[in-house]
Amino acid sequence: MSSAITAALLLLAALGGIWWFQKGDLGEYRFSALNDGHSRRMRFRLWQVRSALAFLLPVLVGLVLLGRTDALVMMPGEFAAIAGLMPPIFDSGEAMQGMLVGGAIGGLAVGAVLARVRKRKPLGNISALLPRDRREVKYAAGLSIMAGVTEEAFFRLYLPLLVAMATGQAAIGFIASLILFGAMHRYQGWVGVVATTALGAVMTGLYLMTGSLWVVMLVHVLVDLNGLVVTPVLGGVLKK
């Protein structure tokens, strides 16, 4: 079986994974129907498991089947043409990565200050996801980490690579992946869809400019931690 056919079959499986994930927790946004702490903590755990099964597992299995596990640490050659169109902001990739990580951490600190001073609310309808007491904070943090790792591996690397291998058009892969990434967050309302689509576009640009998947994973994690952990904790909305 040719690599193009294998990639096409894996792409269908990946799209099925998105459908399965949406049909479950996100399709009905079940957090909004939960009030007791135990049920909410169980849902946090379930969401993380579903994220791993729908997004991370297909990436790992698919890259092994394609013989492309090196893509986890090195940008695939299929993306080179698009990456070459990105503006050379820094002279070296290391300098760019350092600046991006530093900026993300600085943004987290700014978010912490704003949460304390202005009780700033995150964009989008994610109120049901915010921790309601101290015990839920670690679950929200775990969800932030899981989302940052699995979604970047899936939407920034895996889907575009499959489309590029199946069709020879990496640009189509990035565009389709960005649309799916935004649509997957429809439970947050239109503001959340717009915000997450914009975030996905930024993450795509960062990935293409740095060639580093771990950098965009880290930035994504910090953004989610700011919204799901820092803001509610320092905003003083948690129960004892």
Side-chain angles (χ1 to χ4, degrees), residues 3 30 38 48 51 65 88 93 105 115 118 126 128 131 145-147 156 158 162 165 167 183 192 197-198 219 232 237:
S3 59
R30 295 179 182 175
H38 175 72
Q48 292 182 55
S51 294
L65 292 176
I105 295 175
R118 299 172 52 192
I126 64 170
I145 296 171
M146 179 63 73
R156 241 55 71 193
Y158 190 56
L162 292 180
M165 294 183 67
T167 68
T197 301
V219 173
V237 299

Side-chain angles (χ1 to χ4, degrees), residues 5 11 15 46-47 51 55-56 63 68 74 79 83 96-97 108-109 119 124 127 156-157 168 180 186 207 222 225 228:
I5 295 177
L11 178 60
L15 294 176
L46 178 60
W47 201 331
S51 294
F55 302 130
L56 186 59
L63 291 180
R68 300 295 301 272
M74 184 182 305
F79 302 164
M96 179 185 291
Q97 293 177 24
L108 185 63
K119 294 181 172 56
S127 58
R156 241 55 71 193
L157 167 64
L180 289 171
R186 69 182 185 277
Y207 177 52
L222 292 175
L225 284 175
L228 296 181

Side-chain angles (χ1 to χ4, degrees), residues 99-152:
M99 288 292 291
L100 290 173
V101 173
I105 295 175
L108 185 63
V110 171
V113 173
L114 291 176
R116 172 62 71 178
V117 175
R118 299 172 52 192
K119 294 181 172 56
R120 182 175 58 87
K121 295 181 179 180
L123 290 174
N125 179 25
I126 64 170
S127 58
L129 283 174
L130 300 179
R132 298 179 180 179
D133 56 47
R134 297 289 177 180
R135 289 178 296 178
E136 290 187 7
V137 170
K138 64 180 180 181
Y139 294 100
L143 186 62
S144 300
I145 296 171
M146 179 63 73
V149 172
T150 62
E151 291 178 8
E152 292 308 313

Side-chain angles (χ1 to χ4, degrees), residues 31 38 40-50 139:
F31 267 101
H38 175 72
R40 284 177 55 82
R41 291 191 292 274
M42 290 296 294
R43 184 61 60 180
F44 270 119
R45 296 191 190 102
L46 178 60
W47 201 331
Q48 292 182 55
V49 171
R50 291 176 67 88
Y139 294 100

Side-chain angles (χ1 to χ4, degrees), residues 17-96:
I18 297 176
W19 174 85
W20 173 75
F21 188 68
Q22 288 278 289
K23 188 174 177 60
D25 292 300
L26 299 188
E28 299 177 10
Y29 199 18
R30 295 179 182 175
F31 267 101
S32 61
L34 302 177
N35 293 313
D36 65 286
H38 175 72
S39 296
R40 284 177 55 82
R41 291 191 292 274
M42 290 296 294
R43 184 61 60 180
F44 270 119
R45 296 191 190 102
L46 178 60
W47 201 331
Q48 292 182 55
V49 171
R50 291 176 67 88
S51 294
L53 293 176
F55 302 130
L56 186 59
L57 184 61
V59 171
L60 299 178
V61 173
L63 291 180
V64 168
L65 292 176
L66 292 170
R68 300 295 301 272
T69 54
D70 60 324
L72 292 170
V73 295
M74 184 182 305
M75 178 181 287
E78 289 86 348
F79 302 164
I82 299 179
L85 299 176
M86 303 303 291
I89 302 177
F90 299 98
D91 293 332
S92 68
E94 291 77 9
M96 179 185 291

